[in-house]
Amino acid sequence: MTLTLKALKDQGHHIDHDILKGLAPYRTDHINRFGDYTLDFDRQVSPMSYNTKII
């Protein structure tokens, strides 16, 4: 989500606190929290950049 928001900002889209407060990463209204999930343990995950600024 962070990388997508940064890409949108870099493209000139206005990102502010009002937009970010509606983007909670833990949404429960459309998912089954205790349902079936597929995990790919072989997938390479890119390193997290803790210095990425959104606003």
Side-chain angles (χ1 to χ4, degrees):
M1 188 182 300
T2 302
L3 294 176
T4 300
L5 287 168
K6 181 168 178 355
L8 287 170
K9 182 180 176 189
D10 291 345
Q11 292 172 11
H13 295 277
H14 178 71
I15 307 291
D16 62 11
H17 288 284
D18 289 332
I19 291 171
L20 293 179
K21 71 182 178 183
L23 298 176
Y26 184 70
R27 296 181 179 212
T28 60
D29 58 328
H30 67 288
I31 62 170
N32 179 0
R33 294 187 309 152
F34 305 108
D36 296 326
Y37 297 94
T38 302
L39 301 176
D40 183 359
F41 293 107
D42 295 323
R43 186 180 117 193
Q44 294 294 320
V45 179
S46 57
M48 181 67 176
S49 172
Y50 294 100
N51 298 321
T52 303
K53 289 272 192 180
I54 300 293
I55 56 173

